[in-house]
Amino acid sequence: MATLHLASWVNALKYSDLPQDVVAAAVRSFYNWAGCAVGGSNHPATNIAHVALKPFFGVSTASLLGHKGKVLIDAQHAALLNGIASHVHDYDDTHLDTIIHPTGPVASALLAVAEWKGGFSGPEFLLALTAGIEAECKVGLAVWPEHYDVGWHITSTTGSIGAAVAVSKLLSLSTTQTAHAIGIAATQVVGLREMFGSHTKSFHPGRAAQNGLMAAILAQAGYTSSERALEAKRGWANVVGVTKPGLDESMGKWLGLEPDTQGLGLPTEKKAGRWEILRNSFKPFPCGIVIHPIIDGCVQLHKDMASKSLDVKNIDSVELTVHPLVLELTGKRTPKDGLEGKFSVYHGAAIGLIYGKGAPSQYEDQVVQDKGTITIRDKVHQILLLSSQRLGIVCKHDAEKFTSTSFSLETLTSHIILGGSIADFKYHQVNATADKSFGADEAEIILTMYDGTVLKKHVQHAVGSVEVPLTDVMLEEKFKDQCTSILKEGCEEASKALWNIEKATDIKEITKLL
């Protein structure tokens, strides 16, 4: 029984069970989240929600981040609003195997409860945070990728479960109570991918945090749910993962119910398992993560152009070769504002080439709407590579113009007539040597100037990926870039306190600084 198995694992987990690298990953995850939450605290999406919901606030027990402990609201709404703020710039962490932003829902709920109840030490907080992130990512892996492909926003559909697990652990709920909390959270499924590019995307992790917090508090009071909420025929996995082949086996593999020959399930004393928090990554750019390889490459090309005294205004064309997921998730050709710009690979390429960086300031509405930005953006084209194993060829095709009904073999192969049909072809992203498929964090950019100069950049793994992670120094720069204008002279103190969270005797000491 997956639900009870997960609840038992949560209940048994001790701080001493966490390897040091897992503790370090938890500290980094919370540090990054706090910077994103403070950085998004003044965003219109956060402010609108704050003002609109103010009539419903209860007893003031938890901090609204970005105000250095001076603005307190009730814990449920603190979880919601801090969750919105932490995700609104799309700058928060990403579990690359599932594209879940794991810390947002979990930390937003956990911090609100820790401050409300009081007296929780750094180690207690980090243990609960880790438990929630692990639960969230494991159930996400069990239904990935079909669950996401059909249209669910996996951050929030799994986030409520992770938040419930984290709060249950912090409050020392029993195994049965934790199982009920998981069930209460699981029934509150939230998040549609249709909302990407609007305020509602950031609402998803905020609402997941609020739902998970409420689930744990209800369970603590004796509120019940199905103890088979995850695995039952009409439970969470079978409903949101209805298109997933072999769902039972997948649940068993990732939640450690079956013989774990691959070492993927939940880590226990008897099985090493796999810590998902170690596969968490941190964004150098505040946008959809699949755009990062393109921005990374374009930032490098910006430097190359500067070294050759080439003016960005003299760019004739920019050709991108990307993983097919990039076009699906970030194919907005004409974003109308900053939020939509976060889902436009064209805008990402343009700002990398123009500014040599991709900070939150490059996603302000005025930058997205700037004529110079639009001019460069319109010169960007995505190229998909198509292959036919039967015909033994690999061909380039403009991704925007490709549909299964709009092109012929003649146009695909530069007018070489081949004895085949469109069914012979499939998407096949290959690297520079054309011997293996592109990864989701890989890209190639070919830039052509009006004078015929060609510059090329191939990004094997984008900065911020597990293979090329942000260092602590880079994380700190990111934190201060977001928080200095908001926390002023208190930014340095807040940064130090977050790095030293393991030594905190009461988490309230830290929230007063944020």
Side-chain angles (χ1 to χ4, degrees):
M1 296 177 70
T3 308
L4 280 173
H5 185 80
L6 177 58
S8 297
W9 177 82
V10 172
N11 186 261
L13 190 66
K14 303 183 295 293
Y15 193 70
S16 59
D17 294 331
L18 306 184
Q20 191 52 48
D21 59 349
V22 168
V23 173
V27 172
R28 282 165 57 85
S29 295
F30 186 66
Y31 182 91
N32 181 76
W33 171 85
C36 292
V38 171
S41 61
N42 291 328
H43 191 280
T46 311
N47 291 332
I48 290 170
H50 186 189
V51 173
L53 298 175
K54 196 170 184 177
F56 303 101
F57 292 170
V59 179
S60 299
T61 56
S63 295
L64 191 62
L65 299 192
H67 302 277
K68 295 191 281 190
K70 295 177 182 177
V71 177
L72 297 176
I73 58 178
D74 64 275
Q76 270 207 81
H77 283 98
L80 170 67
L81 293 177
N82 288 333
I84 290 173
S86 72
H87 190 63
V88 73
H89 284 303
D90 234 303
Y91 216 5
D92 47 342
D93 56 343
T94 308
H95 178 255
L96 291 175
D97 291 352
T98 57
I99 323 184
I100 291 172
H101 301 282
T103 308
V106 174
S108 300
L110 200 57
L111 188 65
V113 173
E115 191 174 11
W116 166 34
K117 296 292 186 180
F120 294 105
S121 69
E124 289 175 302
F125 186 87
L126 292 172
L127 175 62
L129 180 73
T130 303
I133 289 174
E134 292 301 311
E136 177 183 25
C137 291
K138 292 295 189 187
V139 296
L141 284 162
V143 296
W144 174 264
E146 289 81 2
H147 167 73
Y148 188 79
D149 290 344
V150 81
W152 291 107
H153 186 190
I154 194 169
T155 292
S156 48
T157 58
T158 64
S160 57
I161 295 170
V165 162
V167 175
S168 295
K169 186 62 181 175
L170 190 71
L171 298 180
S172 301
L173 268 58
S174 69
T175 296
T176 299
Q177 288 174 319
T178 301
H180 289 156
I182 291 170
I184 298 167
T187 204
Q188 300 178 81
V189 182
V190 61
L192 302 174
R193 283 174 54 195
E194 171 61 25
M195 304 303 162
F196 288 12
S198 73
H199 290 162
T200 303
K201 183 175 190 284
S202 60
F203 171 81
H204 293 165
R207 187 63 168 179
Q210 186 179 34
N211 288 348
L213 187 161
M214 178 170 58
I217 297 303
L218 284 170
Q220 184 184 42
Y223 212 86
T224 65
S225 75
S226 167
E227 293 180 8
R228 299 182 66 247
L230 295 179
E231 72 275 14
K233 181 179 179 181
R234 294 179 177 83
W236 181 86
N238 278 301
V239 171
V240 303
V242 66
T243 58
K244 174 79 175 180
L247 183 59
D248 290 344
E249 292 78 7
S250 186
M251 288 284 286
K253 177 174 73 174
W254 291 107
L255 293 177
L257 296 170
E258 298 175 351
D260 195 9
T261 57
Q262 295 175 285
L264 297 175
L266 294 166
T268 66
E269 291 181 2
K270 296 181 180 179
K271 289 189 275 187
R274 191 178 88 174
W275 293 98
E276 300 306 325
I277 199 168
L278 295 178
R279 303 177 72 81
N280 207 12
S281 67
F282 305 99
K283 289 184 173 184
F285 311 117
C287 59
I289 198 164
V290 294
I291 305 176
H292 288 199
I294 291 299
I295 302 177
D296 187 356
C298 287
V299 167
Q300 295 179 51
L301 284 170
H302 173 90
K303 295 175 182 177
D304 291 346
M305 284 192 294
S307 69
K308 299 176 186 296
S309 299
L310 298 174
D311 193 325
V312 68
K313 294 179 181 178
N314 293 325
I315 292 175
D316 182 35
S317 66
V318 184
E319 181 182 296
L320 311 181
T321 303
V322 294
H323 188 282
L325 191 61
V326 178
L327 184 62
E328 179 187 346
L329 297 180
T330 62
K332 291 184 181 293
R333 164 55 77 182
T334 56
K336 66 178 184 292
D337 55 26
L339 285 175
E340 284 199 352
K342 293 175 183 295
F343 295 91
S344 172
V345 68
Y346 309 103
H347 180 72
I351 60 173
L353 292 169
I354 296 169
Y355 297 96
K357 61 180 181 178
S361 56
Q362 274 72 60
Y363 285 90
E364 296 293 337
D365 290 353
Q366 61 266 28
V367 176
V368 175
Q369 296 159 4
D370 177 72
K371 290 182 179 179
T373 304
I374 293 170
T375 297
I376 300 300
R377 191 175 72 206
D378 288 346
K379 296 179 180 182
V380 178
H381 299 278
Q382 289 190 90
I383 300 296
L384 288 176
L385 298 183
L386 299 154
S387 75
S388 169
Q389 185 176 13
R390 187 175 76 81
L391 299 174
I393 62 170
V394 176
C395 305
K396 287 187 176 182
H397 194 75
D398 190 317
E400 292 179 274
K401 297 176 182 177
F402 170 74
T403 69
S404 61
T405 59
S406 68
F407 78 92
S408 66
L409 291 173
E410 290 89 342
T411 58
L412 175 65
T413 60
S414 300
H415 306 290
I416 298 174
I417 307 301
L418 297 170
S421 69
I422 187 60
D424 292 319
F425 288 84
K426 63 179 180 180
Y427 292 117
H428 185 66
Q429 298 297 332
V430 299
N431 68 12
T433 58
D435 64 352
K436 65 178 182 179
S437 295
F438 266 33
D441 63 340
E442 183 179 4
E444 184 172 274
I445 307 104
I446 300 175
L447 187 155
T448 304
M449 310 299 292
Y450 284 130
D451 65 3
T453 300
V454 175
L455 299 179
K456 180 178 177 181
K457 190 65 62 175
H458 186 92
V459 177
Q460 189 70 35
H461 295 289
V463 62
S465 64
V466 173
E467 291 80 6
V468 189
L470 293 192
T471 64
D472 286 353
V473 171
M474 295 166 76
L475 273 179
E476 192 162 323
E477 289 174 353
K478 175 182 174 180
F479 179 90
K480 292 178 179 178
D481 179 65
Q482 295 180 91
C483 300
T484 298
S485 63
I486 298 171
L487 302 180
K488 310 295 184 184
E489 66 279 356
C491 184
E492 185 68 37
E493 185 181 4
S495 176
K496 289 180 180 177
L498 287 163
W499 280 129
N500 291 309
I501 187 174
E502 199 175 0
K503 299 177 182 178
T505 56
D506 191 330
I507 294 299
K508 281 186 177 181
E509 301 167 9
I510 295 176
T511 58
K512 293 176 182 178
L513 303 175
L514 299 173

